[in-house]
Amino acid sequence: MALSDYLPMQERCSNCSFCKWVPFDKINGVRFADNCPSVVLNGYNTYAARGRFHMGGAIVRGELEYTDTMADITRQCLACGACDVACKICRYNLEPLEHNIELKHDAIVKGKTSPEQLKVMEALKTEQTMIPGAKKASRMDWAEGLGLIDVFEAPADVLFFAGCKYSYDASLQETARKAVKILQGAGVKVGTLGRGEACCGGRAYQMGFFEEFEERAKANIRGYEKAGVKLIVTPCSDCYHAFKRLYPKFGSEVKVLHILEFLEQLIGEGKLSFTKELDLTVTYHDPCHLGRQGEPYVAWEGVEKKIRNQIHTWDPPRPRYIGAYGIYDAPRNVLKAIPGVKLVEMERIREYSWCCGAGGGCSEVAPELSSFAAKERVEEAKYTGAQVLVTACPWCRANFENAGGIEVKDILDLVCEAL
Ligand code: SF4
Ligand code: SF4
């Protein structure tokens, strides 16, 4: 679709501003009632999904052209989808998240890019990673000595896909190593693509670089088919979202599980058990691309239709992604299985969770927004009285660690400590 295809949707936005708030029946108090970091930081309607619909509509009708500020606004969206969930509480025929990302793409196509965006995309093009400065040749260095199976040479039970952040961030690599050891300890034959591994491209999509994402996705799908991969297990929420929600559009049939879904299964089968007690109170942050955007892909092709020249709908009906069926229970069940761990919840959880700030490529292209969102979430975590803020995504973890103010861990670290 092009931005112009969204004009009926842009004009259907009813200015209710539900997209700026946690669904009203879930609000416990005014302090943690907002849901869109971009509009809270900038204090101006155009930064919210509502304003993005109106800006997009004005561009399509030719009433506005992108200024530098407008292009910057398109980039200041975490692609977190909180607006999408909130809007769909009352509206059935709008897709705010999809439109936000299309607006980013439209600005890019019209040449309104930033140096930070181009740096990230250059890294994807030349080194097949979203981490500027990282080298493809050193992508698998983190896994040295782990005895991973090269799936091109021998069969494995699962393809372990660490993702760019775990592969290259020196402060996180130990967690990726622990993840592999946990799986191997449970008797799982763990494989990788070795030198053939490359970025999933999911963050390129979130940033609006659709053609670059598609190219990467198709190349990866060809690689998985060649290697006979049937199941991918990943500890990264962005990679999970790319494989589960975006790749099927290009014909991928490979199954994907977030590692915590897989560990939940192993615990249930008695293949993974704990021997130590941790005596720890934690609060869990739902990563956006594992939670509300972790719902499975549903194929759809259709057209917009008006009933009695008034009521908009789609024929056939579009799949309705509302965030409620994402991956929320597996991380909590793994935490509950660890002896001595007490989980206390924040106010904004599950599909109405507040973003960590790293989504949409914003940790690179909108660092002020990224830092603001992370600090706000840390405040919410501290409010629970938890000793540790735990999550299930390296991007969230790194962003919270940069924000400071509370100890941050991946659930995998706790699993390892309790074995
Ligand atoms: S995007 Fe949805 S929730 Fe936001 S103002 Fe428009 S109709 Fe209301
Ligand atoms: S996706 Fe997130 S940051 Fe972007 S407009 Fe919606 S709520 Fe705000």
Side-chain angles (χ1 to χ4, degrees):
M1 281 172 83
L3 190 66
S4 53
D5 296 321
Y6 287 85
L7 186 63
M9 203 187 284
Q10 289 158 340
E11 295 184 336
R12 282 202 297 272
C13 168
S14 49
N15 295 314
C16 62
S17 281
F18 276 29
C19 51
K20 300 173 188 170
W21 302 94
V22 167
F24 289 173
D25 63 327
K26 307 290 186 194
I27 292 176
N28 289 324
V30 71
R31 174 64 184 90
F32 300 117
D34 300 289
N35 74 349
C36 172
S38 188
V39 78
V40 176
L41 174 66
N42 294 290
Y44 193 70
N45 181 54
T46 312
Y47 290 81
R50 170 184 164 189
R52 292 173 196 274
F53 271 137
H54 293 293
M55 182 166 81
I59 288 164
V60 171
R61 290 188 298 270
E63 296 160 3
L64 286 176
E65 284 183 6
Y66 289 106
T67 61
D68 288 345
T69 303
M70 286 162 64
D72 181 59
I73 292 172
T74 69
R75 295 190 284 271
Q76 290 213 37
C77 169
L78 297 153
C80 71
C83 53
D84 204 75
V85 166
C87 176
K88 287 172 181 173
I89 296 282
C90 58
R91 297 297 302 264
Y92 68 94
N93 58 4
L94 296 177
E95 296 290 342
L97 175 61
E98 195 182 289
H99 176 263
N100 293 347
I101 300 176
E102 187 67 50
L103 195 59
K104 290 186 184 196
H105 178 246
D106 189 65
I108 292 164
V109 168
K110 289 174 178 156
K112 298 300 269 184
T113 51
S114 71
E116 292 78 17
Q117 278 176 308
L118 297 180
K119 211 167 143 189
V120 175
M121 298 315 295
E122 182 64 18
L124 184 64
K125 192 172 154 197
T126 58
E127 302 295 336
Q128 298 178 350
T129 175
M130 296 297 285
I131 314 271
K135 297 286 171 211
K136 177 148 175 63
S138 57
R139 186 174 181 99
M140 292 306 296
D141 286 1
W142 68 270
E144 214 177 303
L146 286 174
L148 290 173
I149 299 164
D150 184 331
V151 293
F152 287 106
E153 290 171 5
D157 296 329
V158 302
L159 177 84
F160 184 80
F161 190 91
C164 296
K165 195 70 176 166
Y166 267 133
S167 298
Y168 290 116
D169 191 322
S171 68
L172 302 178
Q173 286 168 340
E174 192 48 39
T175 299
R177 292 177 64 82
K178 285 178 192 168
V180 170
K181 287 179 189 166
I182 294 167
L183 295 176
Q184 289 172 332
V188 179
K189 285 192 218 154
V190 186
T192 69
L193 290 167
R195 297 269 167 236
E197 187 181 300
C199 175
C200 69
R203 286 173 75 84
Y205 169 79
Q206 293 174 34
M207 290 167 67
F209 287 87
F210 293 167
E211 291 75 15
E212 292 81 352
F213 164 67
E214 186 171 336
E215 193 183 316
R216 185 91 309 278
K218 286 180 174 170
N220 283 345
I221 292 167
R222 280 196 299 274
Y224 303 146
E225 282 171 357
K226 197 171 156 205
V229 173
K230 298 277 181 297
L231 173 62
I232 298 175
V233 169
T234 180
C236 175
S237 298
D238 273 4
C239 302
Y240 177 83
H241 171 256
F243 295 137
K244 185 168 180 181
R245 185 75 161 266
L246 303 179
Y247 277 32
K249 286 181 201 164
F250 307 116
S252 173
E253 291 178 357
V254 66
K255 186 177 172 189
V256 59
L257 289 176
H258 187 275
I259 191 164
L260 293 175
E261 294 180 276
F262 197 58
L263 294 191
E264 186 190 30
Q265 283 178 21
L266 293 174
I267 292 167
E269 291 163 4
K271 292 178 182 163
L272 182 68
S273 52
F274 301 102
T275 58
K276 294 181 196 140
E277 195 163 323
L278 297 190
D279 188 21
L280 203 62
T281 302
V282 304
T283 191
Y284 172 64
H285 167 77
D286 287 286
C288 304
H289 289 84
L290 180 64
R292 62 180 155 245
Q293 293 191 58
E295 294 176 322
Y297 172 76
V298 181
W300 179 81
E301 216 173 305
V303 289
E304 282 222 45
K305 195 168 109 174
K306 261 188 171 185
I307 302 168
R308 292 178 186 272
N309 201 31
Q310 189 176 3
I311 302 163
H312 287 265
T313 186
W314 283 282
D315 186 20
R318 280 180 73 124
R320 193 163 157 76
Y321 298 110
I322 55 168
Y325 303 105
I327 307 305
Y328 304 112
D329 294 332
R332 289 175 170 82
N333 289 340
V334 171
L335 281 171
K336 284 174 193 165
I338 302 173
V341 169
K342 184 180 171 220
L343 173 65
V344 287
E345 296 281 11
M346 288 183 270
E347 291 201 13
R348 293 172 288 194
I349 56 168
R350 300 176 75 97
E351 69 267 36
Y352 46 96
S353 183
W354 176 268
C355 178
C356 77
C362 287
S363 40
E364 290 78 29
V365 306
E368 194 190 341
L369 171 62
S370 187
S371 167
F372 165 76
K375 284 182 176 147
E376 166 72 2
R377 190 59 159 167
V378 165
E379 283 310 306
E380 191 175 351
K382 282 159 67 178
Y383 193 76
T384 65
Q387 295 158 279
V388 181
L389 169 57
V390 295
T391 188
C393 177
W395 295 94
C396 304
R397 176 178 168 181
N399 224 35
F400 291 143
E401 279 176 349
N402 288 341
I406 194 167
E407 189 179 359
V408 184
K409 287 192 175 187
D410 192 302
I411 293 178
L412 293 167
D413 293 310
L414 299 188
V415 169
C416 222
E417 282 172 38
L419 287 176

